[in-house]
Amino acid sequence: RNTLAVALAKNIDAVSVRHSGRAVDHLAKAKDTVLAVGARVEELDDGMKSLTRLTLDAAQTQRFLDVVQPVPELPAAAIFEALDEKRKERFLYQQSHALRVQAEIRELHETGEGHGLGDMHGTGWAWFNAATNYATHSMRSTSKIESMYVGDAARFGRRAYAALTDPELRNQVLVG
């Protein structure tokens, strides 16, 4: 069949390729890739559905936020006082930044895009949605697209998803 016929066909049992042996190898690799992507999409779909069935109470929500955006703990007073001023300022900035991120995620959970879908409020999906909304719209980066796919926003989103799906982190969030 020619390329147009293959593209337009709905059910294809076989495709013949006249080009070269390498073309067959490339098609085999493409098929493997498509199957792998399909399996990953199914896995993510199952994961997202499980998040809709998970409801977080106040303590679990705070533990989720602490996994997604940890807040540095203030060291003992004697240790903190021994730090030079620049380190004190940096520490206090990091702490206040983490608290602002957590507060913004809470706000996005209440008012952000997708917050009012059905009875999703308080579910793992709603908290994941709020965290990824923060990551893709509020995080500063030099390249939004790069950040969303391979940068800080992508890592932030993966951490939020892992906090609710990875067995060890999920247990940390749900049980403490």
Side-chain angles (χ1 to χ4, degrees), residues 121-133:
H121 188 271
T123 65
W125 181 89
W127 284 107
F128 172 72
N129 183 57
T132 57
N133 192 322

Side-chain angles (χ1 to χ4, degrees), residues 6-165:
V6 170
L8 296 175
K10 292 198 187 270
N11 296 318
I12 300 173
D13 295 328
V15 175
S16 62
V17 178
R18 294 185 201 182
H19 303 286
S20 70
R22 286 189 55 110
V24 171
D25 293 341
H26 291 305
L27 283 173
K29 285 181 185 178
K31 176 185 172 188
D32 292 344
T33 301
V34 168
L35 290 174
V37 168
R40 181 68 176 132
V41 167
E42 291 283 331
E43 182 182 315
L44 285 171
D45 184 53
D46 291 344
M48 290 297 164
K49 286 176 182 171
S50 75
L51 294 183
T52 67
R53 296 184 297 272
L54 174 66
T55 302
L56 302 181
D57 64 24
Q60 293 167 330
T61 296
Q62 186 57 54
R63 288 192 296 266
F64 166 75
L65 293 169
D66 288 339
V67 168
V68 173
Q69 179 60 63
V71 178
E73 289 185 34
L74 192 62
I79 295 172
F80 187 74
E81 290 305 317
L83 297 174
D84 63 56
E85 287 306 310
K86 190 173 184 176
R87 285 191 177 182
K88 286 179 187 176
E89 286 176 19
R90 177 139 177 84
F91 176 83
L92 292 173
Y93 170 79
Q94 289 172 336
Q95 189 179 51
S96 66
H97 171 73
L99 290 169
R100 280 192 310 273
V101 169
Q102 287 190 359
E104 188 164 345
I105 293 170
R106 284 182 184 279
E107 179 67 21
L108 288 166
H109 176 263
E110 297 300 322
T111 62
E113 192 70 34
H115 79 282
L117 296 175
D119 19 332
M120 292 295 115
H121 188 271
T123 65
W125 181 89
W127 284 107
F128 172 72
N129 183 57
T132 57
N133 192 322
Y134 169 80
T136 56
H137 299 291
S138 299
M139 290 180 75
R140 290 174 175 52
S141 73
T142 54
S143 168
K144 276 282 192 207
I145 298 296
E146 180 181 337
S147 181
M148 287 180 356
Y149 290 101
V150 296
D152 292 339
R155 283 188 290 280
F156 195 88
R158 284 193 301 270
R159 193 165 56 241
Y161 186 74
L164 297 168
T165 59

